[in-house]
Amino acid sequence: MSPKSAPKKAPAKAAVPARRTQAERRETTRRKLLDATIEALVEQGYARLTTVEVAKRAGVSQGALFTHFETKEELLAVAVEHLFPRIIQDFLAGVGARPSGKDRVGAAVDMLWAAYQRPELQAAIELYVAARTVPELQKALAAVDGPHRQNLHRVARELFPDVAATHPDFDDVVELALDAVQGAAVGGAARPEDPAHRRMLDTLARFMRVAFAPKD
């Protein structure tokens, strides 16, 4: 008599992926639209960007786009808001990657300039310039720019905690540095290889070192 064969095991059922909630699907679509907006803005510029093109790149209908954003201007402003944390994260990583003991002011100025050379941030600057004659865009950008500037000052305080705690003009110096680099970046769009940019950055770093020096 042959021995009993072992009972066959039932084939394992393939794991069924958890079904996403409506909120998760909505957030995924929203992110696709924001990424598509930045992509289209970089490639086409503000003047040629359309919501039809953004929806096409995101793989949704134009009607679906307007269930997330009421106007084109709101879409653009929120896309810029979506972009800013990524830029700041890369900026901090760049400063942190510099060898310890090196000049942190110089590193911060260099990385700030590098951030403003990124195509997506150049495209964001284009929106700010266009907002001068587009009140709806100006209003939408104003809603995101204030919190962004506050975040930049928070980052500066994290990079230079001792100076921030003791220097009464710290925020003013940071604001001046931001405006100087942003202004140079706007002019640099027409003169990207101008050696004057390097001299400006070196001068700005020297000014900040003097401004942040301990007071007698």
Side-chain angles (χ1 to χ4, degrees):
M1 185 175 180
S2 60
K4 291 183 178 180
S5 58
K8 293 183 179 180
K9 293 183 179 180
K13 293 183 178 180
V16 178
R19 188 173 181 179
R20 293 186 303 165
T21 65
Q22 182 177 355
E24 289 172 334
R25 293 194 299 272
R26 181 176 176 83
E27 180 60 24
T28 297
T29 300
R30 182 181 174 88
R31 287 183 175 276
K32 286 182 179 179
L33 285 166
L34 295 175
D35 289 338
T37 300
I38 294 297
E39 181 184 277
L41 187 62
V42 168
E43 294 181 13
Q44 298 183 327
Y46 170 70
R48 293 195 297 134
L49 183 144
T50 66
T51 54
V52 172
E53 176 63 21
V54 170
K56 179 180 177 182
R57 289 173 183 251
V60 303
S61 67
Q62 190 180 21
L65 182 153
F66 283 115
T67 65
H68 291 268
F69 305 98
E70 292 186 3
T71 65
K72 174 183 175 181
E73 290 74 25
E74 181 191 359
L75 169 66
L76 289 167
V78 176
V80 169
E81 183 181 38
H82 173 68
L83 168 67
F84 284 153
R86 191 188 319 163
I87 298 289
I88 290 175
Q89 183 178 12
D90 291 346
F91 167 79
L92 287 172
V95 175
R98 297 295 180 95
S100 60
K102 293 291 184 181
D103 172 29
R104 175 155 280 201
V105 169
V109 169
D110 284 347
M111 292 309 303
L112 185 61
W113 176 252
Y116 274 103
Q117 302 314 297
R118 291 174 59 155
E120 57 267 47
L121 200 49
Q122 289 276 335
I125 291 174
E126 184 181 344
L127 288 183
Y128 279 80
V129 175
R132 184 182 71 85
T133 55
V134 184
E136 297 85 358
L137 181 58
Q138 185 180 79
K139 182 179 179 180
L141 286 174
V144 303
D145 189 65
H148 172 59
R149 298 296 276 203
Q150 292 175 4
N151 201 24
L152 290 176
H153 281 263
R154 177 190 60 77
V155 168
R157 289 177 176 277
E158 290 177 1
L159 287 175
F160 306 101
D162 294 339
V163 179
T166 59
H167 201 295
D169 299 324
F170 180 81
D171 286 324
D172 291 337
V173 173
V174 169
E175 193 69 20
L176 180 61
L178 291 171
D179 286 346
V181 174
Q182 181 172 313
V186 172
R191 299 175 284 105
E193 303 300 327
D194 192 336
H197 296 149
R198 181 68 262 168
R199 296 195 299 272
M200 182 276 294
L201 296 176
D202 291 341
T203 300
L204 177 60
R206 287 197 301 271
F207 164 77
M208 292 180 69
R209 290 188 201 100
V210 172
F212 287 167
K215 303 298 182 183
D216 295 331

